[in-house]
Amino acid sequence: MKTEWAKRRHRLYQIVEVGASLDFISRFYDFFSTFMLILNLAVSILLTFNKMDCYHPVLNILEEITVAFFAVDYGLRLLTAKNAFVHYSEGKSLLKYIFSVAGIIDLLSFLPNYLPFFFPTGATVFRMFRVIRIFRLFRLNAYYDSINVITEVITSKKQQLLSSVFIIFVLMLASSLCMYSLENEAQPDVFTNAFSGLWWSVSTLLTVGYGDIYPITPLGKAFSIVITFLGVLIVAIPTGIISAGFVEQYSRLKQLGDLNDEQDLQFIRVPLHSGDSWIGQKIMDLYLPKGMIIALIQRRSEMLIPRGDVSLEEGDTIILGAESIGNTQPLNIKEILIGRTHPWNGSAIKDLDISRQTFILMIRRHDSTLIPNGDLVIHDGDEVILYTKKKTVL
């Protein structure tokens, strides 16, 4: 009974999380949740227009429906938290999700809508918290690799970005105190305190230039010119860091095709019927001839990555691959020979910059076949076998 519940919960987790391209139910849930989010944001915007008063009853119903979906989605993610944090116990995995950034955003996406029923006096404050729903848009980051590049660039350059922000903060603080000292006697009503100088330095360094506070003394004007030039130079630093990060990221992806030898592999499909000796065996326990691999396992509507602990079942269709013998029809499975200058050489699998739609099936090292895991380090001379979900036809 417990095993059956574990299977059902794992299947539910596959549906709620980002689905494989060939898993129709999971992909439908992804698209539907995205549609509900966009619909909710559209309704929230339309409710702010006075001319839409006649449509408010319909818009309010749509908002209630979308918020109810957010609540159900939160409940499903609580139910499948153990599958998301497999290395933790039931209780710890639940707390791990609840107090994660994604968990807090998911909770605040629907909770403020129901709190006024219990605390009517705080309805205005609770309505303000509904704005947090917009942060659910970051879930799109999990669906599209092009959006995910932004996160990867910011994460890889976070130290440089923090350093540049610190420099900007120090310069703003120093310039505000200096300008207050230079202008306080001439404009006591304008530069009343250090905070007034800070407002001037922010609007100047960030090139906003509201013009409500400005120096009138010769020294103040001269100092303002220097600060303005510094502002243009220093504020451009984060932009340069992010731009360099994008160039570096796309160059690294391009190198995956330029700095290695690639070969297409040949594949055949082998369905498992009742009585086949492989039924019930784990992938790691199978004997395969040299040069042959199990690339994929098709189980009903799912495509399974053949990890070593996956057990074969009756009705499975196994995709067997063999080494290339020349012209073959590509199946989005590549064999990459890692050279000394390849960017993956010496990197752990968990640190590789590859698409979310790409999986490392296995690694061949000399005469050994290695089942990939996050801590496995790729070496010079390894043959890495990749599978990409996109445009795969089986």
Side-chain angles (χ1 to χ4, degrees):
M1 186 69 179
K2 186 176 180 180
T3 304
E4 184 65 25
W5 160 241
K7 289 182 179 180
R8 291 181 180 275
R9 182 164 67 170
H10 179 69
R11 177 56 183 153
L12 186 61
Y13 171 74
Q14 290 178 325
I15 295 173
V16 173
E17 288 300 312
V18 180
S21 57
L22 297 177
D23 190 341
F24 174 78
I25 297 177
S26 183
R27 295 299 290 175
F28 175 78
Y29 187 88
D30 294 341
F31 288 123
F32 184 73
S33 60
T34 303
F35 169 75
M36 296 296 280
L37 173 58
I38 295 174
L39 178 61
N40 180 270
L41 295 177
V43 168
S44 300
I45 293 172
L46 291 175
L47 285 172
T48 63
F49 290 87
N50 294 329
K51 294 182 179 180
M52 302 294 292
D53 288 346
C54 58
Y55 299 103
H56 276 195
V58 177
L59 294 176
N60 286 327
I61 292 174
L62 290 176
E63 185 179 34
E64 292 297 330
I65 292 174
T66 54
V67 170
F69 172 78
F70 295 154
V72 172
D73 180 78
Y74 183 76
L76 294 176
R77 293 182 187 278
L78 287 177
L79 196 62
T80 58
K82 174 60 179 173
N83 297 89
F85 303 95
V86 294
H87 299 297
Y88 296 88
S89 62
E90 287 281 353
K92 287 185 178 180
S93 61
L94 197 63
L95 293 175
K96 192 80 173 174
Y97 168 70
I98 291 174
F99 293 103
S100 66
V101 176
I104 293 172
I105 292 174
D106 291 343
L107 178 64
L108 295 180
S109 296
F110 71 91
L111 188 61
N113 201 68
Y114 300 119
L115 286 177
F117 290 104
F118 306 99
F119 307 98
T121 57
T124 304
V125 177
F126 298 144
R127 192 177 297 113
M128 181 184 67
F129 278 104
R130 296 179 185 178
V131 179
I132 294 177
R133 293 174 195 163
I134 198 170
F135 290 108
R136 287 180 66 97
L137 284 172
F138 285 109
R139 286 200 179 277
L140 296 176
N141 186 48
Y143 303 138
Y144 302 104
D145 291 315
S146 56
I147 300 177
N148 187 52
V149 170
I150 300 174
T151 304
E152 292 177 351
V153 169
I154 294 176
T155 302
S156 63
K157 300 294 182 182
K158 62 182 178 181
Q159 295 297 335
Q160 296 92 322
L161 289 172
L162 287 174
S163 299
S164 63
V165 170
F166 178 74
I167 293 173
I168 293 172
F169 174 76
V170 171
L171 185 59
M172 284 193 303
L173 187 61
S175 61
S176 65
L177 292 174
C178 289
M179 187 57 71
Y180 170 76
S181 301
L182 293 172
E183 295 291 324
N184 177 250
E185 292 185 6
Q187 303 183 80
D189 296 333
V190 178
F191 288 89
T192 55
N193 49 46
F195 183 77
S196 301
L198 183 62
W199 171 248
W200 169 85
S201 65
V202 169
S203 62
T204 302
L205 284 171
L206 300 182
T207 65
V208 178
Y210 286 106
D212 54 340
I213 298 178
Y214 56 89
I216 59 175
T217 63
L219 284 176
K221 291 180 178 179
F223 183 72
S224 178
I225 292 173
V226 175
I227 293 300
T228 302
F229 274 106
L230 287 176
V232 172
L233 296 174
I234 292 178
V235 174
I237 292 177
T239 305
I241 292 173
I242 294 176
S243 299
F246 274 106
V247 173
E248 181 180 321
Q249 185 74 9
Y250 285 112
S251 297
R252 184 181 294 113
L253 293 176
K254 184 177 182 297
Q255 284 179 335
L256 299 182
D258 294 342
L259 298 181
N260 59 77
D261 296 323
E262 295 187 1
Q263 293 181 344
D264 293 329
L265 304 179
Q266 293 183 336
F267 298 90
I268 59 173
R269 281 195 269 185
V270 179
L272 294 183
H273 302 292
S274 177
D276 287 340
S277 59
W278 281 9
I279 294 177
Q281 293 195 46
K282 294 183 178 180
I283 300 295
M284 65 178 68
D285 298 328
L286 298 179
Y287 171 79
L288 293 175
K290 184 178 179 181
M292 180 169 285
I293 62 169
I294 295 180
L296 281 175
I297 301 173
Q298 185 175 0
R299 179 171 297 169
R300 293 179 289 277
S301 61
E302 294 184 72
M303 284 295 175
L304 305 181
I305 303 301
R307 307 300 186 196
D309 56 349
V310 175
S311 296
L312 298 176
E313 299 178 3
E314 181 179 349
D316 287 352
T317 298
I318 301 174
I319 312 301
L320 292 175
E323 294 193 27
S324 175
I325 58 173
N327 295 326
T328 58
Q329 201 66 18
L331 194 63
N332 285 332
I333 296 184
K334 296 291 185 181
E335 180 181 17
I336 300 179
L337 178 61
I338 304 299
R340 184 176 54 84
T341 59
H342 194 281
W344 287 5
N345 185 23
S347 300
I349 291 179
K350 62 183 179 183
D351 298 326
L352 299 182
D353 291 311
I354 58 177
S355 167
R356 292 174 184 264
Q357 302 294 327
T358 300
F359 298 88
I360 295 179
L361 300 177
M362 62 178 56
I363 297 174
R364 291 194 294 215
R365 181 174 297 166
H366 306 303
D367 294 330
S368 302
T369 298
L370 307 179
I371 302 300
N373 61 69
D375 296 322
L376 181 63
V377 177
I378 297 176
H379 295 158
D380 180 16
D382 286 352
E383 295 175 70
V384 180
I385 299 172
L386 298 173
Y387 162 63
T388 301
K389 292 180 181 177
K390 295 179 179 179
K391 300 179 181 178
T392 299
V393 180
L394 292 175

